[in-house]
Amino acid sequence: MEFRIIDLEKEPIDFDLELPPGAVDLGTEARQQGPLAVSGSAEVLHEHRGPRDVVADIRLRGQFDGRFQVPCARCVEPVEIPLAADFDLIFRPAAADSEATERSITAQETEIGYYLKDSLALEDVLREQVLLSLPVRTLCKPDCKGLCPRCGADRNSQPCSCDEGPSDPRWTALAGLRSRIESKEDSPQR
Ligand SMILES: [Zn+2]
Ligand SMILES: [Zn+2]
């Protein structure tokens, strides 16, 4: 869905949508499962910077609610998580801030983004909002054993035989050296 300044100048636009998976490009970080519900409203805010300098910002408020698959932080198996968040954002025309001027709207109440040309795509906003709301670290279960750093086996499903002893080959070399020293010490003196 595209919000055009020319339409928003006439009246605010309310929206209430269910976006199918794929409508929002989330890259590899998350995968949408089922419809993504999003609703809210878009309106123009005029920033008066001077007698002849009015900047048309787009204020976008709303919320989304959906289910997403993200990889487990330890074993990378997909984990399905619910995600929902509110947003209240301001988008300024990209050209408006090309010269550094004092802003009449501070970023304290709302975050400031930019829109290109004369419209703003809801899907672009949602991509950022969904990615921002992803938990830093998701585990498939609290005690996920993760992948073996040596053989790559998923320790949840196939216990591997490399979990005894240190993994670094240098340790193996040291251990060999040590056993040689010990055997020398054990050998009778001439
Ligand atoms: Zn896991
Ligand atoms: Zn292993």
Side-chain angles (χ1 to χ4, degrees), residues 72 75 140 144 156:
C72 169
C75 73
C140 60
C144 170
N156 298 303

Side-chain angles (χ1 to χ4, degrees), residues 148-153 155 159-163:
C148 171
R150 271 178 279 171
C151 71
R155 285 165 164 172
C160 60
S161 50
C162 22
D163 37 13

Side-chain angles (χ1 to χ4, degrees), residues 31-42:
R31 213 188 176 92
Q32 185 184 324
Q33 302 288 297
L36 173 62
V38 55
S39 60
S41 66

